Amino acid sequence: KKLTENLERLISQYNERAGDIASLDKAVPNGQNVPELLINLEAIASESGLIFEGVNFRPKDLKAKGIKTLVAEIKVKGSYPNFLNYLTALEKSLRIFDVVGASFAGVGPGQIGARTDNLEFNLILNTYHY
């Protein structure tokens, strides 16, 4: 009887936290879920006014157990303000992204009349899963 009461209490606690568990599952999903991640990264780029050029995924080997890291090397084209919008959208995303590197190309030193709306941005980010 006591075990049944404990089990019912645990089920009740789990049900009370179902929303929190669902949010955590979106922030740190079970598995890499690369297709969904690719769709999200491309959609965020499009919504930010950028052209999504591609992405390379590679796992990052960690010594710690549990949470695993997936590195995404992203290439997008567009203007600098749109790139800032992209970074802001990634920051607000439900899935956790840590930007670990960024670079851009498209305007050389002393270049006059360069198109600043067609810059190439390379972004390296970490995302996590279990």
Side-chain angles (χ1 to χ4, degrees), residues 84-101:
L84 291 178
N85 291 339
Y86 187 64
L87 291 175
T88 301
L90 287 174
E91 181 180 16
K92 292 179 180 178
S93 173
L94 291 177
R95 187 151 181 177
I96 297 173
F97 295 107
D98 287 333
V99 176
V100 294

Side-chain angles (χ1 to χ4, degrees), residues 54-68:
V55 62
N56 289 319
F57 295 106
R58 61 181 166 81
K60 186 175 183 181
D61 192 26
L62 295 177
K63 304 271 189 243
K65 289 185 178 183
I67 302 296
K68 298 173 184 164

Side-chain angles (χ1 to χ4, degrees), residues 48 50 78-87 116 119 121:
S48 300
L50 295 173
S79 69
Y80 182 71
N82 289 348
F83 181 66
L84 291 178
N85 291 339
Y86 187 64
L87 291 175
T116 58
L119 301 173
F121 298 93

Side-chain angles (χ1 to χ4, degrees), residues 32 34-35 37-38 41 55-59 70-74 127:
Q32 293 177 355
V34 171
L37 181 57
L38 175 62
L41 292 171
V55 62
N56 289 319
F57 295 106
R58 61 181 166 81
L70 182 66
V71 178
E73 297 170 349
I74 302 167
T127 187

Side-chain angles (χ1 to χ4, degrees), residues 9-59:
R9 183 179 50 79
L10 289 172
I11 291 172
S12 174
Q13 288 175 350
Y14 178 83
N15 289 335
E16 289 172 8
R17 299 266 179 159
D20 295 337
I21 292 168
S23 294
L24 179 62
D25 219 24
K26 288 185 186 289
V28 183
N30 185 10
Q32 293 177 355
N33 206 356
V34 171
E36 182 180 321
L37 181 57
L38 175 62
I39 290 168
N40 287 340
L41 292 171
E42 189 172 8
I44 293 170
S46 179
E47 291 167 4
S48 300
L50 295 173
I51 298 168
F52 189 81
E53 294 280 305
V55 62
N56 289 319
F57 295 106
R58 61 181 166 81

